[in-house]
Amino acid sequence: MKEGGKSELISWIQSVAIAFVIAIVIRQFLFTPVVVSGQSMQPTFENDNKIVISKLYKIDRFDMIVFHAPDSEDNFIKRVIGLPGDVVVMDNDKLYINGMEYEEDYVQNNKAEIFEGQKLTQDFKVEVPEGFLYVLGDNRRNSTDSRIIGFIDEKSVIGSVKFRFYPFHEMGIPK
């Protein structure tokens, strides 16, 4: 092999190695793809939806997060309803946080599917301790969330949902 060919081959190997290291760093420390499993976030996310979470985040109320579930090997995706220090009240399917009522547009489709007079979310009142979050699934009647597993330690959060991949057929593009 000529000297020029050898040096070009080394250059290509170095470029591929650097790209590989950059990809690992991005995935490990910045963004991670996740596949949604289950029905607890319907209709916002369906089973097998592909999302990307950011590992650099500031959690705000109503953000969707992925976290290590307590007492489980699984990771869950839920919506943050209560931040540390918040008093969260659900009264007759109306959400109050620190005394202020909030509209939950993301549960309206699920509310439309229940019989008149039934509640989508049972009533509760909680005060979120420091260092913890209160999370609920959008599919309130089929969600293992803070009503069952309790408060979520902020240290167990893996990342905040940033976007969802849509399959081509959902965008009107043929397969």
Side-chain angles (χ1 to χ4, degrees), residues 104-121:
E104 294 185 282
D105 295 333
Y106 45 85
V107 297
Q108 294 310 312
N109 288 348
N110 291 332
K111 276 187 180 180
E113 293 178 5
I114 61 174
F115 293 112
E116 190 172 325
Q118 288 185 322
K119 291 182 183 179
L120 182 65
T121 313

PDB file of all heavy atoms in Angstrom, residues 104-121:
ATOM      1  N   GLU A 104     -57.069  20.436  32.220  1.00  0.00           N
ATOM      2  CA  GLU A 104     -56.252  19.321  31.746  1.00  0.00           C
ATOM      3  C   GLU A 104     -56.754  18.903  30.362  1.00  0.00           C
ATOM      4  O   GLU A 104     -57.430  17.896  30.205  1.00  0.00           O
ATOM      5  CB  GLU A 104     -56.324  18.149  32.717  1.00  0.00           C
ATOM      6  CG  GLU A 104     -55.707  18.422  34.058  1.00  0.00           C
ATOM      7  CD  GLU A 104     -55.707  17.168  34.898  1.00  0.00           C
ATOM      8  OE1 GLU A 104     -56.780  16.837  35.444  1.00  0.00           O
ATOM      9  OE2 GLU A 104     -54.635  16.531  34.994  1.00  0.00           O
ATOM     10  N   ASP A 105     -56.378  19.659  29.347  1.00  0.00           N
ATOM     11  CA  ASP A 105     -56.828  19.374  27.981  1.00  0.00           C
ATOM     12  C   ASP A 105     -56.426  17.982  27.525  1.00  0.00           C
ATOM     13  O   ASP A 105     -57.128  17.347  26.749  1.00  0.00           O
ATOM     14  CB  ASP A 105     -56.266  20.412  27.004  1.00  0.00           C
ATOM     15  CG  ASP A 105     -56.803  21.808  27.286  1.00  0.00           C
ATOM     16  OD1 ASP A 105     -57.913  21.921  27.835  1.00  0.00           O
ATOM     17  OD2 ASP A 105     -56.100  22.783  26.963  1.00  0.00           O
ATOM     18  N   TYR A 106     -55.291  17.486  28.002  1.00  0.00           N
ATOM     19  CA  TYR A 106     -54.756  16.201  27.582  1.00  0.00           C
ATOM     20  C   TYR A 106     -55.578  15.011  28.066  1.00  0.00           C
ATOM     21  O   TYR A 106     -55.344  13.891  27.640  1.00  0.00           O
ATOM     22  CB  TYR A 106     -53.292  16.050  28.027  1.00  0.00           C
ATOM     23  CG  TYR A 106     -53.060  16.489  29.456  1.00  0.00           C
ATOM     24  CD1 TYR A 106     -53.278  15.638  30.517  1.00  0.00           C
ATOM     25  CD2 TYR A 106     -52.642  17.789  29.734  1.00  0.00           C
ATOM     26  CE1 TYR A 106     -53.099  16.045  31.823  1.00  0.00           C
ATOM     27  CE2 TYR A 106     -52.455  18.212  31.035  1.00  0.00           C
ATOM     28  CZ  TYR A 106     -52.691  17.331  32.077  1.00  0.00           C
ATOM     29  OH  TYR A 106     -52.500  17.751  33.369  1.00  0.00           O
ATOM     30  N   VAL A 107     -56.546  15.200  28.957  1.00  0.00           N
ATOM     31  CA  VAL A 107     -57.395  14.087  29.401  1.00  0.00           C
ATOM     32  C   VAL A 107     -58.816  14.183  28.838  1.00  0.00           C
ATOM     33  O   VAL A 107     -59.646  13.324  29.130  1.00  0.00           O
ATOM     34  CB  VAL A 107     -57.445  13.958  30.949  1.00  0.00           C
ATOM     35  CG1 VAL A 107     -56.077  13.651  31.513  1.00  0.00           C
ATOM     36  CG2 VAL A 107     -58.076  15.166  31.587  1.00  0.00           C
ATOM     37  N   GLN A 108     -59.101  15.177  28.031  1.00  0.00           N
ATOM     38  CA  GLN A 108     -60.467  15.389  27.556  1.00  0.00           C
ATOM     39  C   GLN A 108     -60.986  14.220  26.718  1.00  0.00           C
ATOM     40  O   GLN A 108     -62.151  13.847  26.833  1.00  0.00           O
ATOM     41  CB  GLN A 108     -60.577  16.705  26.773  1.00  0.00           C
ATOM     42  CG  GLN A 108     -60.346  17.934  27.632  1.00  0.00           C
ATOM     43  CD  GLN A 108     -61.168  17.932  28.914  1.00  0.00           C
ATOM     44  OE1 GLN A 108     -62.365  17.675  28.910  1.00  0.00           O
ATOM     45  NE2 GLN A 108     -60.508  18.216  30.034  1.00  0.00           N
ATOM     46  N   ASN A 109     -60.138  13.632  25.864  1.00  0.00           N
ATOM     47  CA  ASN A 109     -60.586  12.479  25.073  1.00  0.00           C
ATOM     48  C   ASN A 109     -60.977  11.320  25.972  1.00  0.00           C
ATOM     49  O   ASN A 109     -61.954  10.620  25.703  1.00  0.00           O
ATOM     50  CB  ASN A 109     -59.484  12.021  24.101  1.00  0.00           C
ATOM     51  CG  ASN A 109     -59.299  12.977  22.956  1.00  0.00           C
ATOM     52  OD1 ASN A 109     -60.111  13.866  22.728  1.00  0.00           O
ATOM     53  ND2 ASN A 109     -58.219  12.806  22.224  1.00  0.00           N
ATOM     54  N   ASN A 110     -60.208  11.102  27.035  1.00  0.00           N
ATOM     55  CA  ASN A 110     -60.530  10.016  27.965  1.00  0.00           C
ATOM     56  C   ASN A 110     -61.805  10.325  28.747  1.00  0.00           C
ATOM     57  O   ASN A 110     -62.590   9.429  29.043  1.00  0.00           O
ATOM     58  CB  ASN A 110     -59.368   9.768  28.914  1.00  0.00           C
ATOM     59  CG  ASN A 110     -58.166   9.170  28.209  1.00  0.00           C
ATOM     60  OD1 ASN A 110     -58.310   8.482  27.202  1.00  0.00           O
ATOM     61  ND2 ASN A 110     -56.988   9.438  28.710  1.00  0.00           N
ATOM     62  N   LYS A 111     -62.031  11.589  29.092  1.00  0.00           N
ATOM     63  CA  LYS A 111     -63.260  11.963  29.805  1.00  0.00           C
ATOM     64  C   LYS A 111     -64.484  11.711  28.934  1.00  0.00           C
ATOM     65  O   LYS A 111     -65.533  11.317  29.431  1.00  0.00           O
ATOM     66  CB  LYS A 111     -63.222  13.444  30.199  1.00  0.00           C
ATOM     67  CG  LYS A 111     -62.500  13.707  31.484  1.00  0.00           C
ATOM     68  CD  LYS A 111     -62.659  15.157  31.893  1.00  0.00           C
ATOM     69  CE  LYS A 111     -61.933  15.419  33.181  1.00  0.00           C
ATOM     70  NZ  LYS A 111     -62.055  16.813  33.613  1.00  0.00           N
ATOM     71  N   ALA A 112     -64.336  11.931  27.629  1.00  0.00           N
ATOM     72  CA  ALA A 112     -65.463  11.746  26.712  1.00  0.00           C
ATOM     73  C   ALA A 112     -65.880  10.284  26.606  1.00  0.00           C
ATOM     74  O   ALA A 112     -67.008   9.994  26.206  1.00  0.00           O
ATOM     75  CB  ALA A 112     -65.098  12.293  25.335  1.00  0.00           C
ATOM     76  N   GLU A 113     -65.005   9.366  26.991  1.00  0.00           N
ATOM     77  CA  GLU A 113     -65.289   7.931  26.856  1.00  0.00           C
ATOM     78  C   GLU A 113     -65.925   7.307  28.100  1.00  0.00           C
ATOM     79  O   GLU A 113     -66.257   6.128  28.076  1.00  0.00           O
ATOM     80  CB  GLU A 113     -64.004   7.185  26.503  1.00  0.00           C
ATOM     81  CG  GLU A 113     -63.474   7.541  25.136  1.00  0.00           C
ATOM     82  CD  GLU A 113     -62.182   6.831  24.799  1.00  0.00           C
ATOM     83  OE1 GLU A 113     -61.726   5.980  25.600  1.00  0.00           O
ATOM     84  OE2 GLU A 113     -61.628   7.139  23.731  1.00  0.00           O
ATOM     85  N   ILE A 114     -66.101   8.080  29.172  1.00  0.00           N
ATOM     86  CA  ILE A 114     -66.712   7.499  30.374  1.00  0.00           C
ATOM     87  C   ILE A 114     -68.196   7.873  30.431  1.00  0.00           C
ATOM     88  O   ILE A 114     -68.639   8.825  29.786  1.00  0.00           O
ATOM     89  CB  ILE A 114     -65.976   7.943  31.664  1.00  0.00           C
ATOM     90  CG1 ILE A 114     -66.023   9.462  31.840  1.00  0.00           C
ATOM     91  CG2 ILE A 114     -64.551   7.446  31.659  1.00  0.00           C
ATOM     92  CD1 ILE A 114     -65.445   9.949  33.140  1.00  0.00           C
ATOM     93  N   PHE A 115     -68.939   7.104  31.203  1.00  0.00           N
ATOM     94  CA  PHE A 115     -70.368   7.351  31.328  1.00  0.00           C
ATOM     95  C   PHE A 115     -70.616   8.627  32.136  1.00  0.00           C
ATOM     96  O   PHE A 115     -69.846   8.964  33.044  1.00  0.00           O
ATOM     97  CB  PHE A 115     -71.072   6.176  32.006  1.00  0.00           C
ATOM     98  CG  PHE A 115     -71.054   4.929  31.181  1.00  0.00           C
ATOM     99  CD1 PHE A 115     -70.313   3.830  31.582  1.00  0.00           C
ATOM    100  CD2 PHE A 115     -71.781   4.854  29.996  1.00  0.00           C
ATOM    101  CE1 PHE A 115     -70.297   2.668  30.825  1.00  0.00           C
ATOM    102  CE2 PHE A 115     -71.761   3.701  29.225  1.00  0.00           C
ATOM    103  CZ  PHE A 115     -71.017   2.602  29.639  1.00  0.00           C
ATOM    104  N   GLU A 116     -71.707   9.288  31.819  1.00  0.00           N
ATOM    105  CA  GLU A 116     -72.079  10.499  32.548  1.00  0.00           C
ATOM    106  C   GLU A 116     -72.229  10.179  34.033  1.00  0.00           C
ATOM    107  O   GLU A 116     -72.776   9.148  34.408  1.00  0.00           O
ATOM    108  CB  GLU A 116     -73.393  11.040  31.992  1.00  0.00           C
ATOM    109  CG  GLU A 116     -73.723  12.418  32.525  1.00  0.00           C
ATOM    110  CD  GLU A 116     -74.928  13.020  31.832  1.00  0.00           C
ATOM    111  OE1 GLU A 116     -75.105  12.779  30.622  1.00  0.00           O
ATOM    112  OE2 GLU A 116     -75.675  13.730  32.518  1.00  0.00           O
ATOM    113  N   GLY A 117     -71.682  11.034  34.865  1.00  0.00           N
ATOM    114  CA  GLY A 117     -71.735  10.832  36.306  1.00  0.00           C
ATOM    115  C   GLY A 117     -70.539  10.079  36.869  1.00  0.00           C
ATOM    116  O   GLY A 117     -70.346  10.063  38.071  1.00  0.00           O
ATOM    117  N   GLN A 118     -69.733   9.450  35.997  1.00  0.00           N
ATOM    118  CA  GLN A 118     -68.528   8.765  36.458  1.00  0.00           C
ATOM    119  C   GLN A 118     -67.365   9.751  36.487  1.00  0.00           C
ATOM    120  O   GLN A 118     -67.353  10.744  35.774  1.00  0.00           O
ATOM    121  CB  GLN A 118     -68.162   7.610  35.529  1.00  0.00           C
ATOM    122  CG  GLN A 118     -69.069   6.432  35.620  1.00  0.00           C
ATOM    123  CD  GLN A 118     -68.556   5.291  34.766  1.00  0.00           C
ATOM    124  OE1 GLN A 118     -68.032   5.493  33.678  1.00  0.00           O
ATOM    125  NE2 GLN A 118     -68.710   4.077  35.263  1.00  0.00           N
ATOM    126  N   LYS A 119     -66.387   9.422  37.318  1.00  0.00           N
ATOM    127  CA  LYS A 119     -65.180  10.247  37.398  1.00  0.00           C
ATOM    128  C   LYS A 119     -64.055   9.582  36.630  1.00  0.00           C
ATOM    129  O   LYS A 119     -63.927   8.358  36.635  1.00  0.00           O
ATOM    130  CB  LYS A 119     -64.744  10.420  38.852  1.00  0.00           C
ATOM    131  CG  LYS A 119     -65.665  11.263  39.678  1.00  0.00           C
ATOM    132  CD  LYS A 119     -65.123  11.405  41.086  1.00  0.00           C
ATOM    133  CE  LYS A 119     -66.078  12.201  41.954  1.00  0.00           C
ATOM    134  NZ  LYS A 119     -65.571  12.332  43.317  1.00  0.00           N
ATOM    135  N   LEU A 120     -63.238  10.403  35.992  1.00  0.00           N
ATOM    136  CA  LEU A 120     -62.040   9.891  35.331  1.00  0.00           C
ATOM    137  C   LEU A 120     -60.959   9.649  36.384  1.00  0.00           C
ATOM    138  O   LEU A 120     -60.236   8.662  36.334  1.00  0.00           O
ATOM    139  CB  LEU A 120     -61.545  10.888  34.281  1.00  0.00           C
ATOM    140  CG  LEU A 120     -60.325  10.467  33.480  1.00  0.00           C
ATOM    141  CD1 LEU A 120     -60.649   9.262  32.620  1.00  0.00           C
ATOM    142  CD2 LEU A 120     -59.826  11.602  32.621  1.00  0.00           C
ATOM    143  N   THR A 121     -60.843  10.573  37.350  1.00  0.00           N
ATOM    144  CA  THR A 121     -59.817  10.497  38.388  1.00  0.00           C
ATOM    145  C   THR A 121     -60.484  10.587  39.755  1.00  0.00           C
ATOM    146  O   THR A 121     -61.241  11.528  40.002  1.00  0.00           O
ATOM    147  CB  THR A 121     -58.809  11.667  38.249  1.00  0.00           C
ATOM    148  OG1 THR A 121     -58.407  11.784  36.892  1.00  0.00           O
ATOM    149  CG2 THR A 121     -57.603  11.475  39.142  1.00  0.00           C
TER     150      THR A 121
END
